[in-house]
C-alpha cells in the first residue's frame, strides 16, 4: 500500500530547463566564457558537478567551483518568476495532500534551486520535507537520496512511490527498492523498470485504481466462506 509520494522536481513538477540554461549562459557570459558551441540540451539532466568538470578548462584558474555554482544558484533564484509548472503538477500535489497522502521532494538540485522551484509554483508548504543535493553524500543515480527519504518518512521502500522524468532518477529509486513512475516525453524511451505516465495527474488515477483494486479484493475475501474460515 502506497503511503507517500516522493517527487523529483526538475522536469517532473517544474519546467525548469529553460531557467537552468539561462542561469548557465548568464554566469558563463559574465566570465567571458563562450559556450555557444554546445547545444541548448547539452547539459539537460547532468549533475552540476559534471557540468563544472566539463566547463572548468574554459574558465580562468582563479574561478572555483564553489564561486561558480553559487553564482549559478543566485542567477536561478533571482529569476524564479520565469518558472512554470508541468501541467497539472500543483493541482495534483494539492489533491493528494487533501487526501492525506504524504509527499516529499527528492531532487538532484541544490537547496536554493529546490526552494525556488517549489515556491514558484506554490507547493512548498505541501511537502513534508525536501531532499536536495546539499543534504546527501551522493546524488542520483546513487540510491542514497531515496533511502534517506524512506528513513525520514519512517516507511519501507515499497510504501513509497517515486515520480521521475530521467533515467538517472529512475535508477536511484529502483536501487533504493522504491516503485517508480516515469513522466515520459512524447516518443521518448521509458527506462526499466518504471511504469510510464503522461503527466502528474496520472499519479492520482493510478493511486485511485490501486485503492479500488484493494477494496474489491477485500470485499471478495469477506464474501468468500472459505476465505472467512481461513
Amino acid at each position: 500500500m502506497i503511503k507517500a509520494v516522493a517527487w523529483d522536481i526538475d522536469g517532473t513538477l517544474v519546467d525548469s530547463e529553460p531557467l537552468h540554461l539561462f542561469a548557465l549562459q548568464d554566469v558563463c557570459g559574465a566570465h567571458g566564457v563562450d559556450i555557444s558551441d554546445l547545444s541548448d540540451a547539452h547539459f539537460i539532466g547532468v549533475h552540476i558537478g559534471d557540468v563544472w568538470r566539463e566547463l572548468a578548462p574554459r574558465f580562468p584558474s582563479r574561478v572555483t567551483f564553489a564561486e561558480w555554482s553559487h553564482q549559478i544558484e543566485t542567477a536561478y533564484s533571482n529569476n524564479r518568476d520565469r518558472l512554470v509548472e508541468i501541467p497539472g503538477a500543483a493541482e495534483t500535489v494539492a489533491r493528494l495532500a487533501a487526501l492525506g497522502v504524504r509527499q516529499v521532494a527528492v531532487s538532484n538540485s541544490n537547496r536554493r534551486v529546490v526552494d525556488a522551484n517549489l515556491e514558484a509554483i506554490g507547493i512548498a508548504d505541501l511537502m513534508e520535507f525536501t531532499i536536495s543535493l546539499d543534504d546527501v553524500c551522493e546524488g542520483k543515480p546513487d540510491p542514497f537520496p531515496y533511502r534517506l527519504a524512506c528513513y525520514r518518512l519512517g516507511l519501507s521502500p515499497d510504501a513509497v512511490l517515486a515520480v521521475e522524468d530521467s533515467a538517472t532518477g529512475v535508477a536511484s529509486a529502483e536501487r533504493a527498492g522504491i516503485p517508480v513512475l516515469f513522466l515520459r516525453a512524447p516518443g521518448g524511451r521509458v527506462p526499466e523498470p518504471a511504469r510510464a505516465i503522461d503527466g502528474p495527474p496520472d499519479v492520482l488515477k493510478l493511486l485511485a485504481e490501486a485503492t479500488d483494486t484493494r477494496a474489491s479484493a477485500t470485499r471478495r475475501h469477506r464474501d468468500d466462506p472459505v476465505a472467512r474460515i481461513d
Side-chain angles (χ1 to χ4, degrees), residues 131-205:
I131 293 175
S132 74
L133 194 59
D134 296 328
D135 303 316
V136 298
C137 55
E138 293 288 344
K140 305 171 189 176
D142 191 273
F144 185 79
Y146 278 110
R147 286 176 178 166
L148 179 60
C150 292
Y151 173 79
R152 292 185 60 182
L153 284 164
L155 296 173
S156 62
D158 59 2
V160 180
L161 179 66
V163 188
E164 282 281 353
D165 78 315
S166 71
T168 297
V170 168
S172 176
E174 191 273 331
R175 292 169 64 188
I178 295 176
V180 57
L181 300 177
F182 181 75
L183 182 59
R184 61 184 166 195
R189 186 183 67 85
V190 179
E192 296 288 346
R195 177 174 178 178
I197 59 173
D198 294 316
D202 286 350
V203 177
L204 279 165
K205 297 175 185 176

Side-chain angles (χ1 to χ4, degrees), residues 44-173:
I44 289 180
V46 179
H47 190 293
I48 191 169
D50 294 326
V51 175
W52 172 248
R53 275 186 282 276
E54 182 171 340
L55 294 181
R58 305 186 185 204
F59 280 79
S61 58
R62 68 178 183 276
V63 180
T64 66
F65 170 70
E67 176 186 2
W68 174 83
S69 62
H70 179 77
Q71 292 170 353
I72 292 283
E73 292 169 20
T74 299
Y76 189 97
S77 182
N78 288 348
N79 290 277
R80 68 183 67 184
D81 59 329
R82 296 173 177 238
L83 293 166
V84 296
E85 68 170 305
I86 297 296
E91 181 182 358
T92 297
V93 170
R95 289 180 62 186
L96 287 172
L99 292 171
V101 178
R102 301 170 70 186
Q103 295 176 90
V104 303
V106 180
S107 176
N108 240 14
S109 291
N110 297 97
R111 169 57 51 196
R112 291 175 71 192
V113 171
V114 166
D115 292 346
N117 282 337
L118 298 182
E119 290 166 7
I121 64 171
I123 60 172
D125 292 342
L126 298 179
M127 296 293 165
E128 189 168 324
F129 60 82
T130 61
I131 293 175
S132 74
L133 194 59
D134 296 328
D135 303 316
V136 298
C137 55
E138 293 288 344
K140 305 171 189 176
D142 191 273
F144 185 79
Y146 278 110
R147 286 176 178 166
L148 179 60
C150 292
Y151 173 79
R152 292 185 60 182
L153 284 164
L155 296 173
S156 62
D158 59 2
V160 180
L161 179 66
V163 188
E164 282 281 353
D165 78 315
S166 71
T168 297
V170 168
S172 176

